[in-house]
């Protein structure tokens, strides 16, 4: 009867399994009913994750039931298939059910849920019958089969409840009107391709959805279009709102207490703590499961030592044996299978923990970056100009600190997981080893202070390394920005030595870091604008309409300062800017003209007074982003102003196309665009650009001249449809003809005729007659921190009202103007040739670099794609060879030999320990053969030989670990020192042409990112790669030695590993490069925003720039998320392969031990190594991919090392050159022709001139006529291919460059100041006395300014001289040139940003103080050279006129005379 009941249950089980398989086929055949959405990943049904978890548990219990049946059947005399066959069928049915469920869920075909409902019902009933039958026959909890059956009843019941709940909630199957559920918004968007949040639990855990992406990446390079957009929940704006709400909640909770780092941490934990808690939970579960490996291996070794003899069960019911759980776990094969499942689960939990932590960190990074950006939008101008916050600091904050915070969140689970590991580990060791474990734990505790000391020193070394690295990069940045000045003044060696000195300090810190790393292996103050949130709109005084009718802006009794603690910079300001009229502001250098504009725009701190804006200037769109609570309130404005088109004195350009820079986010109007282009004379420049107005302007307009940058900046202001336009000295970088054209066609015609309110700051006094109002600012103090302007001048009659009909020029000059009209429309061919040359060279350089990197020659698109795909799959072995060869012939063999010896010794230690264990177990298990007790056996076994050899091997291993680590670190240090030194020498000696054709950011990246990669990342990655590779090889070798049968299974696993790493490396490299490349626009956007903060706020474009920031942040985050998912994809697969290796190794080892008498110690050795294979495989592939990416830094630096240096050597030795040469200053130019490159046309053609000693020469001409090239020829900055220049009887071509450039002086148009002191900026060579420096400052009209500064000559100059005005910076450059006291003095448009009064004083001083020196002056303002001895007029690279100025003025058709007339 019992057997009949058992057969009936078995039949019922088979029936229900066939039933579910049949309906699964029907389910798969019903795909036609699928609801079409963009992704078939929509999880429709509630309880999805619970269903998958219950199914996984069900599968595990069924496997245990199968194993229990097989083990029970093994101890029986006859075979009983019903013990495990139904469980096997149930296992297949469970897999089929979850596949079936997945199909109907993603296909949205709920009617087929009835099949699952019937299946779970039948399963629950049959298992319940079986469980009741066991109870009736006295089977209890001591039998494993009883427990498994009870578990199955519970699981089937819970799955049945889940199914009923789905049908009830969604009203499926038995209801007429099912509940309609819309798919998530993300899945309706074709652009969202990151599907991790939407796929089923199995795909989430194994990253199965990434398979298609990884395979596609191998066929086609990954770009932003491929990875798509972020899901809404992961976007920066979503996470910013969450973080901001947490911050506000903390502020409300702690309104009375000061806000500090603690409240910030609370806000971060409140916003992102929940996923972090989930990650920590996964990590703790993974760590607990990690102890299953050693326990299972211990059990296997113990069991095989006894011959795997399972205790014969005593319970026999229904004709079969029932075994207990203890008897079940006494089988070595069962332990091997359990070890396999434990590894699978542990690795899955571990990777899930990593992913959740990194995803949380990435979300946090996006929120923090948005928060920082909004803070930047609120910074006052003084924060930037006074050096409190620099663009570099902000970029470091965004690029480094936010990433550090992200990785901190990634490492956070370790804070909880590591104590759990230590405690459980010590307990298990005590269980296995007894008191010895406590001794080991005591040693760890004793060594903890040493570890803390080493960690502290590591932290200090890392901190000092970062500080020195930042200082080095700052110096390198300044060196590169001022490279033209350094070369002209022959100061390269000074800045080279300064950078090298800082580099030596950095290397010292790196050495300390390397040493402690090796040892460790062995053992604002807030500005007023900050409080904008506290400002309330009810404080504003309403202004009547009549008060606002006749003015645009009005300031009453205004006192303004740059810093809250500083004295007023503008004092007693009372002005009114008329509505719809042209107001000009003039005044001396440093009197506060630009500051007045910034004060009106709300960029200065207001001490007292009021600013009123007319209501008609307010636009409907102010750019405020009220939705996210990011509202910037200008404290200076009593009435909210609208958008102001503002062109700053220093042109600010976006890293975008010419068209985008001009339109500046405004709608494109073709007619207006063309009018603006014509008014700014930009069409000829656009015509020669490679892609016209779609040409990308480089960072800070690097591929444009100063005049072109200025005109594009003005064109942006002209294009905007704003009522108010502020132009700050727009003519400073333009010649007289371009200035006249811009004034006539742009300012007067486009703006004033359109009744726009225009405020124009200028030094061009000839344009004053056309102004409606003139404001003259009187100088009180000249220092930016302390100077002020007194508008009492305005009351005393310095404000003149001219009628609107006032003409730009006198009538008697109209004829001359018309005569020049034909050439106003275009610039000379020379400038355009230069620009074309620049663009061509840049493209050629980029092309050469690309060809060098790819090393392929493309014939057509198809070949190009195949070549690229081929190169993407190759390792950069050549770059690796260059890196290793730079280490030298001594370190490289030491590195290789030490690595091999170390791992050989490590394997020997483990092998010896295994032999020791085997011998001890062998003695312990055969006591009866020796007729002695257990105690006698322990005493008879001699441990001494084993312990001595083990100790020697351990000491040798420690020494080799230290030697290997030191060898790796020292190899890295030697390579990085050599590469940086070579790079610095090459760059600083490179010709000026190289810097004109190579973006500054590209060069700086070699010194920053690439050097950092070589400094800190490549040595660590190289060591990790070699270690993981050798460990993997060692592990496979040991396993193969222990069980040669493992080699058979190794072949398919190796093939799988090969293809996985092949596909992963390509995708990982693309994603890593995409991650880096998407970070560059983000950092560039931050940098652009910082530099153009005034312009952005003037235009009220904060919201548009915030939106760009969100786009750039999301692009970077989606690349980072895909990279993270790809890493997890690899690690999961490698971990699973490693688990298979463990299973195969365990089964083969157990079999070999049972049938081939393999020592049990070697079994444990093989399994221990097998347990780590997955880690070794994973890290080997990861490090291989990382090394492949990092070696790109070596390739890029090697590319720059091929740059050809200038020829600094001369034909004359130092003894042949007189000590005081040139002492007279006589210059002979004979048939001179020069060009910028051998591939380009000449810029000077057959020039002949003779300049007598002490003569004052003036050079003028249109923009691009060759004036600056003429001056650069004296310094051999251009290629002289014909003719020569003789100075005091010596041909300069025969002189060493250092000697030539150090004996001449030049002042450039663009003022360049370096951070440091005024003394350093005037005399970096430290050759002059204080009296000489004061004399130079007095000549430059700066003595009283410097004396008023704290520290005098030792007063601080901030980066770029931002704490001085543009004109003051130019005066400092003049003083710098005066200090040199050379006999030849060249001024290249050196007074462009200086007012006429100061310029006239300087000209007189130059003529008198340098009466005995030869002075060559290149001028836009022709009146400044009227007192010159000779005037040279140039056109298209040739001398058009060459005579005394009075002679040229007398000639009616003289070009010089026409220039003078136009300049009046």
């Amino acid at each position: 009867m019992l057997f009949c009941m058992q057969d009936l249950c078995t039949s019922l089980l088979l029936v229900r399994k066939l039933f579910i398989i049949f309906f699964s086929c029907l389910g798969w055949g019903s795909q036609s009913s699928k609801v079409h959405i963009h992704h078939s990943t929509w999880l429709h049904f509630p309880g999805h994750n619970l269903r998958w978890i219950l199914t996984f548990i069900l599968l595990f219990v069924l496997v245990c039931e199968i194993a229990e049946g097989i083990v029970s059947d093994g101890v029986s005399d006859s075979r009983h298939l019903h013990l495990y066959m139904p469980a096997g069928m149930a296992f297949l049915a469970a897999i089929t059910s979850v596949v079936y469920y997945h199909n109907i869920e993603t296909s949205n075909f709920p009617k087929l849920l009835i099949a699952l409902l019937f299946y779970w019902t039948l399963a629950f009933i049959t298992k319940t019958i079986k469980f009741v039958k066991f109870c009736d026959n006295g089977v209890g909890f001591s039998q494993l089969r009883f427990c498994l059956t009870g578990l199955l009843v519970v699981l089937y019941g819970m799955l049945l409840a889940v199914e009923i709940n789905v049908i009830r909630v969604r009203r499926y199957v038995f209801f007429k009107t099912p509940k309609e559920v819309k798919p998530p918004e993300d899945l309706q968007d074709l652009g969202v391709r990151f599907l991790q949040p939407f796929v089923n639990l199995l795909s989430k855990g194994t990253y199965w959805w990434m398979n298609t992406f990884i395979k596609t990446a191998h066929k086609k390079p990954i770009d932003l279009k491929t990875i798509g957009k972020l899901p809404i929940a992961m976007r920066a704006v979503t996470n910013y709102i969450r973080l901001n709400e947490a911050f506000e909640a903390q502020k409300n909770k702690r309104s009375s207490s000061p806000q500090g780092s603690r409240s910030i941490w609370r806000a971060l934990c409140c916003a992102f703590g929940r996923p972090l808690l989930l990650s920590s939970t996964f990590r703790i579960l993974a760590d607990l499961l990690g102890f299953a490996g050693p326990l299972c291996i211990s059990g296997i070794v113990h069991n095989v030592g006894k011959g795997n003899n399972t205790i014969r069960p005593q319970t026999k019911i229904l004709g079969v044996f029932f075994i207990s759980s203890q008897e079940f776990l006494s089988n070595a094969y069962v332990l091997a299978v359990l070890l396999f499942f434990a590894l699978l689960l542990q690795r899955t939990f571990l990777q899930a923990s990593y992913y959740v932590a990194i995803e949380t960190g990435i979300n946090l990074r996006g929120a923090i970056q948005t928060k920082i950006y909004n803070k930047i939008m609120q910074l006052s101008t003084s924060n930037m100009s006074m050096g409190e916050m620099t663009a570099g600091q902000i970029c470091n904050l965004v690029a480094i600190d936010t990433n550090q915070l992200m990785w901190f969140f990634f490492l956070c689970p370790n804070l909880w997981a590591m104590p759990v590991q230590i405690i459980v580990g010590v307990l298990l060791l005590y269980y296995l080893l007894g008191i010895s474990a406590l001794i080991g734990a005591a040693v760890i505790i004793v060594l903890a202070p040493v570890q803390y000391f080493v960690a502290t020193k590591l932290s200090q070394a890392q901190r000092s390394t970062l500080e020195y690295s930042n200082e080095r990069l700052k110096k390198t940045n300044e060196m590169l920005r001022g490279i033209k000045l350094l070369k002209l003044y022959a100061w390269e060696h000074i800045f080279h030595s300064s950078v090298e000195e800082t580099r030596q300090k950095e290397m010292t810190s790196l050495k300390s870091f390397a040493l402690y790393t090796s040892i460790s292996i062995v053992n604002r103050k807030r500005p007023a604008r900050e409080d904008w949130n506290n400002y309330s709109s009810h404080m504003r005084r309403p202004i009547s309409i009549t008060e606002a009718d006749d003015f645009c802006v009005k300031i009453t009794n205004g006192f303004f300062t740059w810093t809250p603690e500083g004295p007023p910079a503008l004092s007693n300001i009372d002005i009114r800017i008329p509505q719809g009229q042209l107001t000009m502001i003039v005044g001396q250098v440093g009197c506060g003209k630009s500051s007045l504009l910034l004060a009106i725009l709300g960029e200065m701190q207001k001490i007292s007074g009021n600013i009123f804006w007319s209501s008609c200037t307010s636009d409907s769109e102010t750019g405020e982003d009220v939705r996210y609570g990011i509202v910037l309130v200008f404290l200076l404005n009593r009435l909210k102003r609208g958008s102001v088109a503002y062109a700053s004195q220093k042109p600010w350009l976006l890293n975008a196309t010419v068209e985008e820079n001009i339109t500046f986010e405004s709608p494109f109007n073709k007619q207006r665009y063309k009018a603006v282009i014509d008014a700014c004379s930009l069409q000829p420049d656009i015509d020669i650009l490679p892609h016209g107005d779609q040409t990308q302007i480089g960072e800070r307009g690097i591929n444009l001249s100063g005049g072109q940058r200025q005109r594009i900046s003005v064109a942006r202001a002209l294009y905007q449809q704003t009522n108010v336009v502020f132009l700050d000295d727009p003519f400073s970088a333009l010649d007289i003809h371009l200035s006249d054209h811009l004034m006539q066609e742009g300012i007067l015609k486009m703006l004033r005729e359109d009744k726009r309110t225009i405020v124009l700051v200028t030094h061009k006094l000839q344009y004053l007659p056309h102004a409606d109002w003139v404001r003259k600012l009187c100088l009180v103090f000249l220092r930016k921190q302390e100077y002020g302007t007194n508008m009492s001048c305005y009351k005393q009659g310095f404000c003149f009202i001219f009628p609107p009909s006032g003409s730009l020029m006198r009538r008697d000059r109209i004829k001359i103007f018309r005569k020049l009209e034909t050439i106003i429309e275009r610039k000379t061919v020379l400038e355009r040739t230069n620009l074309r040359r620049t663009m061509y060279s840049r493209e050629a350089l980029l092309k050469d670099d690309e060809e060098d990197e790819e090393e392929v020659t493309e014939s057509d698109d198809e070949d190009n794609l195949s070549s690229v795909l081929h190169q993407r799959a190759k390792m950069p072995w050549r770059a690796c060879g260059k890196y290793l060869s730079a280490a030298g012939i001594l370190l490289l063999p030491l590195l290789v030999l030490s690595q091999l010896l170390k791992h050989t010794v490590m394997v020997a230690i483990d092998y010896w320990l295994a032999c020791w264990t085997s011998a001890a177990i062998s003695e312990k298990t055969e006591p009866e053969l020796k007729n002695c007790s257990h105690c006698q056996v322990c005493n008879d076994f001699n441990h001494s030989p084993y312990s001595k050899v083990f100790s020697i091997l351990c000491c040798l291993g420690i020494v080799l670990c230290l030697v290997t680590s030191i060898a790796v670190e020292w190899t890295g240090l030697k390579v990085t020192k050599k590469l940086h030194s070579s790079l610095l020498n090459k760059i600083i000696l490179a010709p000026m042409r190289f810097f004109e054709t190579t973006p500054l950011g590209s060069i700086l990246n070699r010194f920053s990112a690439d050097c950092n990669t070589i400094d800190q990342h490549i040595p660590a990655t190289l060591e990790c790669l070699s270690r993981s590779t050798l460990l993997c090889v060692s592990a496979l070798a040991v396993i193969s030695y222990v069980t040669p049968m493992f080699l058979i299974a190794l072949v398919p696993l190796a093939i799988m590993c090969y293809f996985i790493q092949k596909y992963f490396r390509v995708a990982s490299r693309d994603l890593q490069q995409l991650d880096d490349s998407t970070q560059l626009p983000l950092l560039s956007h931050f940098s652009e925003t910082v530099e153009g903060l005034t312009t952005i706020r003037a235009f009220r474009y904060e919201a548009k720039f915030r939106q760009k920031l969100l786009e750039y942040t999301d692009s970077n985050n989606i690349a980072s998320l895909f990279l993270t998912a790809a890493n997890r994809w690899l690690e999961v697969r490698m971990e699973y392969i490693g688990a298979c290796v463990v299973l195969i190794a365990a089964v083969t080892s157990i079999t070999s031990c049972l049938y081939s008498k393999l020592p049990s110690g070697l079994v444990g050795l093989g399994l221990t190594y097998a347990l780590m294979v997955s880690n070794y495989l994973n890290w080997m592939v990861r490090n291989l991919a990382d090394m492949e990416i990092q070696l790109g830094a070596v390739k890029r630096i090697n590319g720059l090392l091929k740059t050809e240096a200038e020829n600094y050597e001369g034909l004359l030795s130092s003894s042949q050159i007189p000590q005081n040469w040139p002492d007279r200053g006589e210059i002979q130019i004979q048939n001179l022709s020069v060009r910028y490159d051998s591939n380009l046309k000449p810029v000077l053609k057959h020039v002949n001139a003779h300049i007598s000693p002490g003569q004052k020469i003036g050079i003028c001409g249109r923009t691009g006529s060759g004036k600056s090239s003429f001056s650069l020829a004296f310094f051999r900055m251009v290629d002289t291919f014909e003719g020569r220049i003789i100075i005091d009887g010596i041909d300069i071509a025969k002189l060493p460059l250092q000697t030539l450039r150090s004996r001449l002086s030049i002042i450039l148009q663009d003022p360049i100041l370096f951070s440091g002191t005024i003394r350093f900026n005037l005399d970096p060579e430290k050759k002059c006395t204080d009296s000489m420096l004061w004399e130079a400052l007095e000549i430059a009209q700066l003595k009283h300014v410097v004396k008023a500064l704290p520290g005098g000559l030792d007063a601080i100059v901030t980066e770029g001289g931002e704490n001085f005005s543009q004109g003051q910076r130019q005066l400092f450059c003049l003083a710098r040139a005066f200090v040199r006291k050379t006999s030849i003095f060249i001024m290249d448009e050196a007074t462009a940003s200086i007012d006429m009064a100061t310029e006239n004083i300087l000209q007189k001083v130059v003529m008198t103080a340098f009466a005995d020196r030869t002075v060559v002056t290149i001028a836009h303002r022709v009146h400044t050279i009227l007192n010159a001895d000779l005037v040279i007029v140039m056109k298209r690279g040739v001398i058009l006129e060459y005579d005394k100025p009075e002679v040229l003025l007398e000639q009616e058709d003289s070009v010089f005379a026409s220039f003078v007339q136009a300049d009046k």
Side-chain angles (χ1 to χ4, degrees), residues 73 552 842 908 975 977 1031 1051 1198 1327 1344 1440:
D73 190 43
C552 171
R842 283 166 57 82
V975 172
K977 182 178 180 181
L1031 284 172
V1051 175
N1198 274 307
K1327 292 182 178 179
H1344 60 289
L1440 199 62

Side-chain angles (χ1 to χ4, degrees), residues 948-969:
K948 288 179 181 179
V949 174
F950 182 76
S951 300
I952 293 171
L953 288 174
C954 286
C955 293
L956 186 59
I958 292 172
V959 172
L960 286 173
C961 281
L962 182 61
V963 171
T964 302
S965 180
I966 292 175
V968 170
E969 296 294 339

Side-chain angles (χ1 to χ4, degrees), residues 1155-1169:
Y1155 298 102
S1156 303
K1157 302 303 179 182
L1158 181 71
S1160 56
L1162 291 182
V1163 173
L1165 177 66
L1167 291 181
T1168 303
Y1169 270 84

Side-chain angles (χ1 to χ4, degrees), residues 292-310:
L295 290 174
C296 288
I297 292 175
S298 175
I300 290 172
V301 172
H302 180 73
N303 290 337
V304 297
K306 295 181 178 180
N308 200 32
N309 295 320
T310 305

